Each structure stands twice: as structure tokens, then as C-alpha cells.
Amino acid sequence: MGVRLGSADRFTIDELIVTCISRQAKNSDLMAQGIATPLVVAGYILAKLTHAPDLIFAVAIGGCITNSWAPLSISRAEEANLERPLYIFSFDEAAGTLMFTIQPKEFFRPAQVDPRGDFNNVVLGDYYAPKLRLPGCGGIADVTNYSPRVYLYVPRHSRAVFVERLDFVSGVGVLEEEERKELSILSPGPRYLVTNLGTFDFEGGRMRLLSYHPGVRVERIQKKTGFPLAMAPDLHETPPPSAEEVMLLREEIDPLGIRELERLSGGRRRAKLREIIEREAEGF
Amino acid sequence: MGVRLGSADRFTIDELIVTCISRQAKNSDLMAQGIATPLVVAGYILAKLTHAPDLIFAVAIGGCITNSWAPLSISRAEEANLERPLYIFSFDEAAGTLMFTIQPKEFFRPAQVDPRGDFNNVVLGDYYAPKLRLPGCGGIADVTNYSPRVYLYVPRHSRAVFVERLDFVSGVGVLEEEERKELSILSPGPRYLVTNLGTFDFEGGRMRLLSYHPGVRVERIQKKTGFPLAMAPDLHETPPPSAEEVMLLREEIDPLGIRELERLSGGRRRAKLREIIEREAEGF
Amino acid sequence: MSDKVVTLSEAVGLVEPGDTIALGGMTLYRRPVAFARELIRSRVKDLTLLALTAGYESDLLVGAGSVRRVRTCYFGLEIFGLAPMFTKKARDLEIIEETEVSLALGLRAALSGIGFQPARAWQGTDLLKVRPDVKTISCPYTGERYVAFPAIKPDVAVIHVQESDCQGTAILKGNLALDREMALAAKQTIITTERLVEEVEGQIATFPSRVDAVVLAPKGAYPTSCYPYYRLASQEVLDYVDACSRGEFEEYLARFLDGGEVGER
Amino acid sequence: MSDKVVTLSEAVGLVEPGDTIALGGMTLYRRPVAFARELIRSRVKDLTLLALTAGYESDLLVGAGSVRRVRTCYFGLEIFGLAPMFTKKARDLEIIEETEVSLALGLRAALSGIGFQPARAWQGTDLLKVRPDVKTISCPYTGERYVAFPAIKPDVAVIHVQESDCQGTAILKGNLALDREMALAAKQTIITTERLVEEVEGQIATFPSRVDAVVLAPKGAYPTSCYPYYRLASQEVLDYVDACSRGEFEEYLARFLDGGEVGER
């Protein structure tokens, strides 16, 4: 979906997702950025430019902690992150001690999610004869053992993503107290999930609709989900981005529209990518 | 014992000990320096200025690795070490991984040594009602579990130091193969020992005289040792420092005579210390 | 100290078939691409490829058939999408699942000279099922069960750096990834460097006693980045993805192998 | 972000009787001496003193009766000799033997959120006899027996730094000791700083989310050093040793407590 130009009260679904991500960041939070997550990066920067000016970022690209930001970029992300780092870490330190201790919030993008918030980034189909081998889970199987600040986002909500049973569990959801204890798991599971259709949590160990995005019917969300959803008592429409948020996103944070890549695939994605890279090369 | 001025073929026992330490350093070695060990620091620098120009130092004061050196100093040791460090480490890294991996040579000064090279830096007398509580063993109980490069020096050889049985074992000596395996100990025990009377090793698991210092009779060494010594087949006189080595020590490496402190105690030590500190304050 | 400077092809000669080879950098950042090119040319096979995150040059190694086994926590091209040859050949590769913690602590165990490192990780996931070699251990204090990650000791580590001296004392600018740990843990370590200098300045990243070969390889990470000297050559990576999507990996590989030490747009 | 700047006496107020208090720096280098002075004035007792190496201010704390228990791998005055009050009172103190590894890995276990860290250390020594709380563990891969060092979580860490901002983002120059680890592992962390700055430059050593109080304390490490601002005041340390050797600790202590925040020769 392209950016619809026009008055600022109009917004794309990408922009709504970014805004939802932004709203989960509180001031002074430390926010972790994985790789290939432009919607997340845009969301964090949006928070910093609006309600959370003291936000700090722990970034994988560049391997550092920084409180500065630059517009989204493909070719220049690393140098932007490393321009004024507060702390450069090795992954020995990051994975071994630092991330446990400073406990960043992080948004992960799962390929599959089950009703209690377990998720999968490793493989689709049978593990030993996969339909599709995915890149792997990075540090998700680590973080979801201890972090109270696991957040999820799914740019393309579908029954292929939200399944009753995962092909492979690589991220831990909301477990029963007894199971958590037996497995020495400290994490309470994912705290929040935003998709292109609505926002959710896993309160009580079952995925629950908190809000539906403007123009999306609850029935459609349920239909696109491979298991029955719980409904929050105060179920409501997701508040749209403000005019200022949309303006910041389009003009300051992501003028090249890199955030749109997360909702594209195949040839359309490659074409968009080439367009962005060419514009970057021209110095945008 | 003060520095005897005069022709350079004369030398003090401190200078002979320093020279023996120096000779254990091979070019390109990494040499670790603990705290309060001026004889060792002088020995390492002497090696660097003579046969081992590429020597690298891992220093506790300053917490870094460096290949530069400065004359011995009390007030300025830290800034000298930190002037041009190659690597600043935290003790988490140093103790946790780095020292095991880069395996420096280190000279330790034990308060007691037993026949097989176990040693003690924790307490004299009964542990729970000590005659004298010592500062503690630093990392000795760690290093002697794995390092093949443990070296010892004892500036005042006596029956109080070399005892049949230690009051407390805080450094591991030469164990039987079976015992080493049972205790997961990789270190073969101390490789070398220099005292004010001679040089030794622990070949075969028993302290063995390798060389007697000029003017020292073997009988005297045995008499000053609280257990029978083995004798090396090629037992010989310790080669004295060269004129150049003595000159370097007195004029370049330790013009203030800080190395002498290790052989003094009580009021004489404090007086010497005050003299050195005052000379340092005057800008020597 | 002995000068360890050799050619790329001499350095590749240190790699034996069957070796576990650890490549430094992250995905598309400071990867030893020039080394990978020479490694493919050498026709050494059966390698186990170890990487924090495997990207461009790893995919070429897989596509070229140099690799039998992969150990990484991520194999992909980040914003450029899936790694085409890894994705295509996944069924034929032996994939040893890793995560950030299992890689970091595996290397740390080797660096600490012990067999394992404990962590609160992996439990409740299927990773332990597909890694039956990974054991758990009970904490003697809390009674909790932790995963005991086994030591990882690569046969060869290859790290691309900004500056090194002739003995292998090198520095890294930005992005440390797991390079320092790989360089220390490996049985043999190869440094490829943008610049050979008389003496490096700043915090060193490698210790000469643990470095076996130094190769001068300017632009040796291209088309991946080498901060701050050059940035990621996004068009080149996209060309690779496009070529693969047209089924033209072999043609791309031929061009890549032809490319000499330096690629430029 | 909230400003955490308080006075020394407010910061000392965070320390409760019975607390384990971790002091940063090493022996005679970058010690929180101004804080120790205020701590003695506060008459808080029964403290467990944790230090990588305990030196000048630790000996004063012991002499003044603030400390009941000591956890360190070295308690002394380096080239100045034994720490007089520690040596004198050793029989009355509870001494928990530590080494570099047990301290470093104890803090690391806390930072990793687990109960222990394994190491090849202490075996064949008497340390395990006098630390019956320290257990061993069998490696599930090699079968070797390692020591399992228990997590150390200080109640309060006090770190003297060269520069900090008002929120507790601080830097350390030179000599890191175990300060970064103490500051992260402690339940509460107090920074005393030579300078308060708007924004620190360079690699940070502390994270504001883990800092509770910031105290401006110029010359706050005197007579120990604060590289590169001032060096070890050797004459002052020697005066202390001399005073103690004349049996005049109490007189020295009175002068020390009188000394205000800054001592100068």
C-alpha cells in the first residue's frame, strides 16, 4: 500500500502500525531494534519525536546503544547508528549479560503465532523437510526466556500467521505458572501485538483483541485468525495517528517510504527496494 | 640492602633477582604484573630493554595491556600504564575469559611455599585465629588452576617461607597426574622460582635447586629451606647481571631504588618509602 | 615479531575440508567477502560455516557448494529478504540451530577453557528438540534448570578489519559482532584488513599471539560495508537477489569470482 | 528524565545497616573516599564490604567499625604494605574469601540472571574448605568438575567516576576494575563524580536506568587517584600507615572525618 498523499488526517496502514508501536514506548525507555524492521525503527523514532524525547535505542545494526536518530535508510543505517554511540557492545556482552540487565523493550516480527503467544521464526512445514526455511530466530529463544518486555508486530495478518499449532516454537508465549517455573522462564510472555488489522494482548494466556483499526470489522479480524480470539471488555477502535505523527513520518522519519517494504513481497518488493536504493544513491 | 655504587660488575641481590626474572621473559611474551611487585616490573622492563623488545605487559594497576614502559614509580604507576594502552579490560573480561585465552606469564610472590610448589597468600597460622592475616590471593587460586606460565619469586628466602606444610593453600603446585585430572586442573604447577639465594624449579613435583647465586653456598640454601631440596644435575652458579643490565636498572628503569622495598620491612621499609616518595614529589 | 602478511590464496590454504570456519561481521556489515571469493575459488568443500548472522558472502558460499553445515542464529539478507541460495538448499544443508546466546556463550566457554556456559534461554522452545546434543544443568543454588551451552572452538576464524599491523594486532571500528571472540577462540585466525599500518591506534581487537595470517584486502568487505570507509553497496546486493530470482545464480557467481579483490560500482 | 543529583549525606542515606556495599575502583585508585567518609559519619554499622581489591578507604571503614564482613580478593595497601586496621581486626571480622574469578563471575551470574557461573578455579586450594557455601558442578560435556560461583547481588554499589550527567550516565577513564559490573548488578547504585556534565562523551560505563543517585564530589577519591585528574597522594597514604604504626588510628580518623570533601596537600 503506497503512501496516500493528501490531507494529514488520512494515513496508511503502515503509518497506523508505526503509530501503535510508537505508543508502546514510554519516555526514558530503552528500545531494542532488530534487523530488517523499518516499521519498528520508524515507531521508535516517532515516539522520540513526540511523547518520549529521552528514548534510548539498542541497535543490532552497528551493535551499539545510542540516543540519536536519523531518517530511515538502507545503505546508511549503520553509519547513522554509529555516528554518536553511547555504548558499543560485543554480542558476547549483549547476549551474555547486558540485555538481561538493562531489559530493553523489543518488537519482534513472527512468521507464526499461536493462541498463547508462542511464535516461530525458524521454519514453515516439517522441520526436517521444510516448506520454507526462514532466516532463524536471532535471540528470540533467549529473550523470551527472561524478558518482561517482549512485543510483537505482524504487518500482514492472516490465517497463515495466526495458527492453532506452530510448525516450530522459537519464541515462548504466556505459560502457566507451573510450566514457567519448571522451565526456569521469567518472561510473562508477549505484552502486546499490533497487526494491520488491530491490536492485541495475551492476557490470561489467550490472544485477545484490544482494538480494531479504523474501517476494520471485528468479524474480519476473527476470520483472518486461525483460532478463536478473546475480546477485551473495552474493545474499541484504534486511535488513528495524529496529523503531526503522519507528517513527521512522511517528512522527517521515513521520506523514502522504507516502512512500506514490510508489507510487500516478491517482485513488487524488489521493485520498491530498487526505487528506494536509487533514490538513496541520488542523495535523498 | 642498598645499591652499592661502584664499578658495574658489582651488583646487589635485588639486581640479581631482577635479572633472573628478566631472563624468563622471551621476546613477544605477554607478561602479567600484579600489584606491589617492583622487582617483577623491573625484571620485565629489563627484558624489554635487552633481549625481548616486543614484550607486552598485562598490568593490574591501570587494568590494561600495553607495550610501553616508564621508570618505576609509586605515585605515577597508573598514569604511566595508561599513557598508551593497547587494551583496557574490565576484570570481568580479564578473569572470565581473557587471561585464560592469552595466557600471560606471571611472577607471584608467595608468603609460604611447600615442597611441591603449592603456595599461600591468605593467612599465617590457624585460619580462624591467624597469627597474621595476609592481604589475600588475588587471582592466584584461579590462575594456578589453568596456567602453564606460573612463576614465583621470594625476596627473602627463609624456613618461614619454605615449609613442609602450608598454613593455607591458595596456589596450586605440581600435582600427580591423577589428582590434576580429578580436580580439572590444567596447570602443571610453577615453572620457576627465584629467591635471594638461588633459582629453582619443581620438576618431578619437588623443589629443586637449579643454581646458587654468586657467593651463596648450597648448604646455606638447604639450611634456609624447611624441607630437603632436590638438586639439578647441572647445578651451577647463577650467571650475574651484565654491566649493561646493572646500568639500565640503576639509571633507566629504577633510579629511585623502588625495587629495594621488597626486601625491607617495618620501620626501615617505611623510611625508605618516605625517601622515595619525597624524591618523586621533587620530580625525580 | 614475525611478519604474518600473506596473500589471500595463502591464507585460504589454512582452511582444510571439513573445517568449521567462523566469519566475522554481521549479515551485510564488515563481512570477509574477498576471503569468501578466494575460498570458493579454492574448491575446499564440506565446510561448517559459523556466523553470528550469515548474509551475502555466506549465501554465495552455500550456493557455490563450499558449505555442508551451517551454524548461525540468522541466515538472510535483512531488508533485501531471504538469502536465496540458503533458502533453496536448506533441505540439503545440515543446519545446526543457534541463537545469539548459544553462539556468544559457546565461544565464551571456549575462551574460559571450560566445556559449557549456563543460561536462561531456549526452554519452552523446539530448539532443544532439534539440538539433542545441548544439555541442561541444575543450578546448585536455586535449583532452577538452565541450558548448558557447549563450547564452540572454530578451526579457522576470518575477520575483516579496518586496520591491522603485520603481526595481527588489529582494531575494529563500530560493530564488534562476535569478531573479537571468534578471533580468540579459533585454532587459527586470519585477519583481512583494509589497511596495513605500522602501529594501530585505539583499543585493539585481536592479540598477535592468536593471529596466524594477515592479508591486505582493501575493499575486502565489498559489497558489504566497512564502516567508516565504505557503506553497504545496496544496489549490488539487490542485483544478487534479482539474479537469483531469475535463476541466474551461476552467472552471478561467475561474475563474482571474476571480480578480483575489489568490486566497485 | 529525572535529575538524580543529591548530597553525599542523602546518598549515604540509601545504605541500611547490614547491607552489602560494593566499592568501585582498585586498592588505591579511584576509590569512593568522600563517600566512605560520609558513611563513617553516618554511623551505619554491620556492613558487608565488597571490593575487587580493598585499600585505603576500606581500611578506614574497618577501623571505624562500620564493617562486620569483608568480601574481597585482596585487602592491603599495595607497595605501602599491609592494611593496618584490617590486619589488626582480622580475627574479629567475618572474612568471605574471594578471588578475581569468584567476584567477577559472581557479579556476572547476577547480571545474567542466573544463580551461578562455572569456572576452572579454586580446586586444589583451601578456599573451598573455608567457603563451604561454594559448590562444584559437573560439566555435562567433558565430565570435568568445575566450581560453580554463586551470584553476587550487592545492595548498594558506589562508584567514583570522572564524569557523569545528572541522570547517572557516566564514563570511566582507564582502570575499569569491576565498576561497570557492580553498578549494573547492585540493587541501588550511587555515582560520585569529579564533574557533572550536560552530556558525557565516549563509551558510557553506567546506564541511567540502573543508577539511583548522583553526587558531585570533586577530589572525591583523594588521596587515592582519579586518573587523569589527579594521581595517588602517596604521602597521605604513608602518613596513614605511619599513624597506625604509632597506634594513632583514632587521631587519624578524626582528622580524616574533619577533612571535609576535599583533602589537599
Side-chain angles (χ1 to χ4, degrees):
Chain A
M1 189 179 301
V3 173
R4 296 185 212 142
L5 298 175
S7 67
D9 61 350
R10 306 277 291 279
F11 56 89
T12 66
I13 190 61
D14 305 308
E15 288 159 352
L16 181 59
I17 294 175
V18 167
T19 305
C20 289
I21 289 173
S22 163
R23 289 173 185 152
Q24 295 301 313
K26 307 292 170 245
N27 199 19
S28 299
D29 271 356
L30 175 69
M31 309 299 294
Q33 294 175 8
I35 51 186
T37 59
L39 289 170
V40 173
V41 179
Y44 295 175
I45 298 174
L46 182 58
K48 191 169 181 78
L49 296 185
T50 54
H51 61 280
D54 296 325
L55 222 55
I56 301 175
F57 310 119
V59 301
I61 296 177
C64 63
I65 293 172
T66 178
N67 56 14
S68 62
W69 70 278
L72 262 59
S73 166
I74 290 171
S75 309
R76 290 176 218 161
E78 185 185 26
E79 68 195 81
N81 288 340
L82 285 168
E83 200 178 314
R84 227 164 47 87
L86 292 167
Y87 193 80
I88 294 178
F89 52 74
S90 87
F91 271 79
D92 170 64
E93 183 182 13
T97 58
L98 198 59
M99 292 309 148
F100 179 87
T101 299
I102 62 180
Q103 302 219 331
K105 278 186 190 171
E106 183 161 4
F107 272 86
F108 298 105
R109 178 181 169 167
Q112 289 182 324
V113 181
D114 76 9
R116 67 174 189 177
D118 293 317
F119 53 107
N120 171 19
N121 286 77
V122 168
V123 76
L124 297 181
D126 177 60
Y127 179 78
Y128 295 100
K131 277 208 286 272
L132 182 64
R133 170 70 208 193
L134 302 168
C137 80
I140 292 174
D142 313 322
V143 171
T144 57
N145 266 221
Y146 64 75
S147 174
R149 298 178 187 171
V150 172
Y151 292 68
L152 303 177
Y153 75 109
V154 170
R156 290 181 291 178
H157 193 131
S158 77
R159 296 179 74 93
V161 173
F162 295 98
V163 295
E164 190 67 56
R165 204 183 149 73
L166 303 179
D167 292 334
F168 191 96
V169 180
S170 62
V172 182
V174 178
L175 307 190
E176 300 284 340
E177 188 53 30
E178 200 178 333
E179 199 178 358
R180 277 177 58 203
K181 212 166 164 187
E182 192 188 321
L183 297 172
S184 305
I185 288 173
L186 302 178
S187 173
R191 311 312 293 261
Y192 177 83
L193 160 69
V194 56
T195 78
N196 55 319
L197 301 182
T199 73
F200 308 82
D201 68 12
F202 296 88
E203 194 62 39
R206 171 157 283 269
M207 186 163 149
R208 181 171 81 154
L209 183 63
L210 298 175
S211 74
Y212 45 87
H213 291 341
V216 180
R217 283 181 308 113
V218 171
E219 296 69 34
R220 180 154 164 252
I221 301 175
Q222 178 58 76
K223 214 178 133 194
K224 290 267 198 179
T225 305
F227 46 79
L229 285 167
M231 299 290 154
D234 61 339
L235 180 63
H236 58 280
E237 185 175 273
T238 311
S242 69
E244 188 208 1
E245 285 171 325
V246 173
M247 187 274 290
L248 283 170
L249 262 173
R250 293 182 192 179
E251 295 178 16
E252 305 288 331
I253 298 170
D254 185 24
L256 294 172
I258 293 173
R259 64 194 178 281
E260 296 168 46
L261 289 171
E262 290 209 58
R263 302 196 61 251
L264 301 175
S265 62
R268 285 180 60 207
R269 189 171 193 288
R270 287 198 303 277
K272 175 77 190 170
L273 201 50
R274 188 163 294 278
E275 177 202 320
I276 292 167
I277 288 167
E278 277 164 9
R279 288 187 69 200
E280 277 195 347
E282 288 158 14
F284 275 88
Chain B
M1 189 178 302
V3 174
R4 294 184 214 144
L5 299 175
S7 66
D9 59 353
R10 307 276 289 279
F11 56 89
T12 65
I13 190 63
D14 302 310
E15 287 159 353
L16 181 59
I17 294 174
V18 167
T19 306
C20 288
I21 289 172
S22 163
R23 288 173 186 150
Q24 295 301 312
K26 307 291 169 244
N27 201 19
S28 299
D29 271 355
L30 175 69
M31 309 300 293
Q33 294 175 8
I35 51 183
T37 59
L39 289 169
V40 173
V41 179
Y44 295 175
I45 298 174
L46 183 59
K48 191 169 181 77
L49 296 185
T50 55
H51 63 280
D54 296 326
L55 222 54
I56 301 174
F57 311 118
V59 301
I61 296 178
C64 64
I65 293 171
T66 178
N67 57 15
S68 63
W69 69 278
L72 263 59
S73 166
I74 289 171
S75 310
R76 291 175 217 161
E78 186 185 26
E79 68 194 86
N81 288 340
L82 285 167
E83 200 178 315
R84 227 163 48 86
L86 292 166
Y87 193 79
I88 293 178
F89 51 75
S90 86
F91 271 79
D92 171 64
E93 183 181 14
T97 58
L98 198 60
M99 292 308 149
F100 179 87
T101 299
I102 62 180
Q103 302 220 329
K105 279 186 189 169
E106 183 161 4
F107 272 86
F108 297 105
R109 178 180 169 168
Q112 290 183 321
V113 181
D114 76 10
R116 67 174 189 177
D118 293 317
F119 53 107
N120 171 18
N121 287 75
V122 168
V123 76
L124 296 182
D126 178 60
Y127 179 78
Y128 294 100
K131 275 208 287 272
L132 182 64
R133 171 69 208 194
L134 302 168
C137 81
I140 291 174
D142 313 322
V143 170
T144 57
N145 265 222
Y146 64 75
S147 174
R149 297 177 189 172
V150 172
Y151 292 67
L152 303 178
Y153 75 109
V154 170
R156 290 182 290 179
H157 192 132
S158 76
R159 297 180 75 92
V161 173
F162 294 99
V163 294
E164 190 67 54
R165 204 180 149 74
L166 303 178
D167 292 334
F168 191 96
V169 181
S170 62
V172 182
V174 179
L175 306 190
E176 299 284 338
E177 188 54 29
E178 199 177 334
E179 200 179 358
R180 277 178 58 203
K181 213 167 163 187
E182 191 189 320
L183 297 172
S184 305
I185 288 173
L186 302 178
S187 173
R191 310 314 292 262
Y192 177 83
L193 160 69
V194 55
T195 77
N196 55 320
L197 300 181
T199 73
F200 307 82
D201 69 11
F202 295 87
E203 194 63 37
R206 170 157 283 270
M207 186 164 150
R208 181 171 81 154
L209 183 63
L210 299 175
S211 74
Y212 44 87
H213 291 340
V216 180
R217 282 180 311 113
V218 171
E219 295 69 33
R220 179 154 164 252
I221 301 175
Q222 178 58 76
K223 214 179 133 193
K224 291 267 199 179
T225 306
F227 47 79
L229 285 167
M231 300 290 153
D234 61 340
L235 179 64
H236 58 280
E237 185 176 272
T238 311
S242 70
E244 189 208 359
E245 284 171 325
V246 172
M247 187 274 290
L248 283 170
L249 262 172
R250 295 182 190 177
E251 294 177 17
E252 305 288 332
I253 298 170
D254 184 23
L256 294 172
I258 294 173
R259 64 193 179 281
E260 295 167 48
L261 289 172
E262 289 210 58
R263 302 197 61 251
L264 301 175
S265 62
R268 284 182 60 206
R269 191 172 192 287
R270 287 198 305 277
K272 175 77 190 170
L273 201 50
R274 189 162 293 276
E275 176 202 319
I276 292 166
I277 288 167
E278 277 164 11
R279 288 188 67 199
E280 278 194 347
E282 287 157 16
F284 275 88
Chain C
M1 266 184 260
S2 63
D3 185 318
K4 292 168 192 157
V5 178
V6 299
T7 64
L8 261 187
S9 120
E10 287 168 321
V12 163
L14 297 177
V15 182
E16 304 277 336
D19 274 357
T20 293
I21 177 166
L23 300 183
M26 258 189 84
T27 348
L28 302 173
Y29 313 99
R30 211 169 38 66
R31 307 298 297 189
V33 177
F35 185 91
R37 178 185 288 115
E38 195 63 31
L39 188 58
I40 295 172
R41 285 182 184 144
S42 79
R43 299 177 192 281
V44 177
K45 305 277 174 198
D46 250 0
L47 297 173
T48 296
L49 173 66
L50 180 79
L52 171 56
T53 57
Y56 173 80
E57 83 305 324
S58 298
D59 205 49
L60 282 157
L61 284 164
V62 164
S66 307
V67 173
R68 189 165 66 90
R69 205 186 276 111
V70 167
R71 299 184 75 161
T72 184
C73 75
Y74 174 93
F75 202 138
L77 297 177
E78 301 199 351
I79 200 70
F80 300 88
L82 299 173
M85 300 314 289
F86 169 71
T87 310
K88 187 173 173 194
K89 293 191 160 192
R91 280 186 184 220
D92 307 319
L93 291 168
E94 188 179 331
I95 300 174
I96 302 178
E97 300 296 336
E98 302 282 359
T99 62
E100 291 175 4
V101 161
S102 69
L103 290 166
L105 294 194
L107 291 169
R108 169 166 278 269
L111 294 180
S112 311
I114 59 178
F116 79 102
Q117 288 274 298
R120 197 184 291 282
W122 284 32
Q123 300 209 68
T125 76
D126 288 334
L127 289 169
L128 287 168
K129 290 183 195 152
V130 300
R131 284 288 307 272
D133 60 311
V134 175
K135 314 265 165 88
T136 62
I137 196 163
S138 181
C139 176
Y141 303 102
T142 66
E144 289 180 306
R145 190 148 283 276
Y146 305 133
V147 174
F149 291 104
I152 298 174
K153 198 161 180 55
D155 295 300
V156 182
V158 188
I159 308 299
H160 187 69
V161 306
Q162 287 91 352
E163 290 174 22
S164 174
D165 70 15
C166 296
Q167 286 80 44
T169 306
I171 54 158
L172 285 176
K173 299 180 183 182
N175 215 339
L176 300 174
L178 281 172
D179 290 33
R180 302 187 304 184
E181 293 75 14
M182 287 174 174
L184 280 174
K187 290 175 202 152
Q188 295 186 95
T189 291
I190 297 166
I191 303 278
T192 68
T193 181
E194 290 291 323
R195 296 187 187 170
L196 269 178
V197 297
E198 193 66 38
E199 199 156 2
V200 296
E201 293 208 12
Q203 183 88 336
I204 66 173
T206 58
F207 292 87
S209 62
R210 309 283 305 159
V211 173
D212 300 275
V214 179
V215 180
L216 177 62
K219 278 254 170 182
Y222 180 90
T224 73
S225 73
C226 188
Y227 172 88
Y229 294 156
Y230 46 92
R231 57 176 65 120
L232 172 62
S234 300
Q235 302 201 17
E236 182 64 38
V237 177
L238 189 55
D239 286 351
Y240 174 64
V241 173
D242 278 354
C244 291
S245 76
R246 292 190 305 268
E248 294 172 3
F249 172 79
E250 293 301 334
E251 291 83 340
Y252 185 94
L253 179 64
R255 275 207 310 284
F256 174 78
L257 293 179
D258 253 17
E261 314 320 348
V262 179
E264 282 279 12
R265 278 193 94 85
Chain D
M1 264 184 263
S2 63
D3 185 317
K4 294 168 192 156
V5 179
V6 298
T7 65
L8 262 186
S9 118
E10 286 170 321
V12 163
L14 297 177
V15 183
E16 302 279 335
D19 275 358
T20 292
I21 177 165
L23 300 184
M26 258 187 84
T27 347
L28 302 173
Y29 312 99
R30 211 171 37 66
R31 307 297 297 189
V33 176
F35 185 90
R37 177 184 290 115
E38 196 62 33
L39 189 58
I40 294 173
R41 285 181 184 146
S42 80
R43 300 178 192 279
V44 177
K45 305 277 173 195
D46 250 359
L47 298 173
T48 295
L49 173 67
L50 181 78
L52 172 56
T53 56
Y56 173 80
E57 84 304 325
S58 298
D59 205 48
L60 282 157
L61 283 164
V62 165
S66 308
V67 173
R68 189 165 66 90
R69 205 188 275 111
V70 167
R71 299 184 74 161
T72 184
C73 75
Y74 173 93
F75 201 138
L77 296 177
E78 301 199 351
I79 200 70
F80 299 88
L82 298 173
M85 300 314 289
F86 169 70
T87 309
K88 186 174 174 192
K89 294 191 160 192
R91 279 186 183 219
D92 306 320
L93 291 168
E94 189 179 331
I95 299 174
I96 303 178
E97 300 296 335
E98 301 283 358
T99 63
E100 290 174 6
V101 161
S102 68
L103 289 167
L105 294 194
L107 291 169
R108 170 166 277 269
L111 295 180
S112 310
I114 59 179
F116 78 102
Q117 288 275 295
R120 198 184 291 283
W122 285 30
Q123 300 209 67
T125 76
D126 288 333
L127 289 169
L128 288 168
K129 290 184 197 153
V130 299
R131 285 288 307 272
D133 59 311
V134 175
K135 314 264 165 94
T136 63
I137 196 165
S138 182
C139 176
Y141 303 101
T142 67
E144 289 180 305
R145 190 149 282 278
Y146 305 133
V147 175
F149 290 104
I152 298 174
K153 200 161 179 53
D155 295 300
V156 182
V158 188
I159 308 298
H160 187 70
V161 307
Q162 288 90 354
E163 289 173 22
S164 174
D165 69 16
C166 297
Q167 286 80 44
T169 306
I171 54 158
L172 285 176
K173 298 181 181 180
N175 215 340
L176 301 175
L178 280 172
D179 290 32
R180 303 186 304 185
E181 293 74 15
M182 287 174 174
L184 280 173
K187 290 174 202 152
Q188 295 185 97
T189 291
I190 297 167
I191 303 278
T192 67
T193 181
E194 290 291 323
R195 296 187 189 173
L196 269 178
V197 297
E198 193 65 39
E199 198 156 2
V200 297
E201 292 210 11
Q203 183 87 339
I204 65 172
T206 56
F207 292 87
S209 63
R210 307 284 304 160
V211 172
D212 300 275
V214 179
V215 180
L216 176 63
K219 278 256 170 180
Y222 180 91
T224 74
S225 73
C226 189
Y227 172 88
Y229 295 155
Y230 46 92
R231 58 176 65 119
L232 171 61
S234 299
Q235 302 199 16
E236 182 65 38
V237 177
L238 189 54
D239 286 350
Y240 174 63
V241 173
D242 279 353
C244 291
S245 75
R246 292 191 304 267
E248 295 171 3
F249 171 79
E250 292 302 334
E251 290 85 339
Y252 186 93
L253 179 65
R255 274 205 313 282
F256 174 78
L257 293 179
D258 252 17
E261 315 319 347
V262 178
E264 280 282 8
R265 279 193 95 87

